[in-house]
Structures are given as C-alpha cells and as structure tokens.
Amino acid sequence: MRSIRSTAAIAVAAAAGLLGPAAPVDAASCEASQPCIVVRQAQYGLPGGGGKTCSAYSSVSNLCLGRSSCEIKVNNELCGDPAPGIRKTLFVSWQCDPDNREYFDSVQEYATMTIACEAPR
C-alpha cells in the first residue's frame, strides 16, 4: 500500500482530475475473519485529464472486491482509451475492510498495480 489517504492527498488527487464521485462501500462479500479490499474509486486516464479519463471502477472492483490481494494490469481494457496515443495512469483508492482507513496508489499504463490488505495481528 502506497499511502494512507489524507486530506492533502485527496486535494492533490482531486486537483489532478483523478477523483470522481466515491463509489459506495460494499463489504458484503468480505469474510469476518479476513481483511478484504473494498474499492472506493478507480479512474484511468491523464492526470489533470481535462475530461480525458474514464471510470475503471467496475473493472477494478470485479478483480479485487472481497479478496485480500489482487493485481491489476493497467491498460485500455480497464474502460477504453480516453486519450489515444498518450500514456495513461490508473488511480485507485480502497479500504481494507474492516479497517476504515483509505489507501491509494497510481500506476502508469502497461505496468501492474498490486493491492493488498494484511491480516490482523
């Protein structure tokens, strides 16, 4: 996990055009004894994109929801190509249910993002 989400981080991501409306938290598929990923937001495109982003929420949620870890291949299969011919970035924010802290990471196109939630100690 790259970072715990802070007010400053939210402001930077919003200013960069990477945050859209937060998706509802759905922890229904989480087992009580294991932490699991609850995706809050996922945007794919250009930082500060000026409309050149798309919501990758469904794709990322389908890969990660209810799991303790997942890998996301960052490419146009996430939600299309919002900026043809330009290298894009995937920005994801998530929670590790039942932990209420939010985490975020961003990875450039053609890389793999790994999201993981640790078991309680």
Side-chain angles (χ1 to χ4, degrees):
M1 286 175 259
R2 169 127 350 138
S3 172
I4 293 176
R5 192 170 187 173
S6 68
T7 303
I10 293 169
V12 168
L18 291 172
L19 288 180
V25 174
D26 179 11
S29 61
C30 298
E31 294 181 26
S33 62
Q34 294 291 323
C36 72
I37 298 164
V38 177
V39 176
R40 295 285 291 151
Q41 296 181 33
Q43 291 288 320
Y44 176 65
L46 303 179
K52 294 190 179 196
T53 62
C54 58
S55 173
Y57 176 79
S58 293
S59 296
V60 173
S61 285
N62 288 337
L63 290 169
C64 300
L65 186 64
R67 300 179 64 191
S68 60
S69 67
C70 65
E71 290 188 348
I72 304 155
K73 294 181 181 176
V74 181
N75 58 45
N76 293 333
E77 291 180 19
L78 291 169
C79 60
D81 190 350
I86 301 172
R87 195 169 199 172
K88 288 149 289 284
T89 299
L90 173 67
F91 175 90
V92 178
S93 67
W94 70 94
Q95 288 178 272
C96 291
D97 187 67
D99 180 357
N100 287 326
R101 293 180 291 178
E102 290 190 46
Y103 302 90
F104 70 94
D105 198 359
S106 60
V107 174
Q108 285 194 335
E109 186 176 18
Y110 308 119
T112 300
M113 177 184 284
T114 300
I115 295 175
C117 294
E118 296 179 11
R121 297 176 192 192

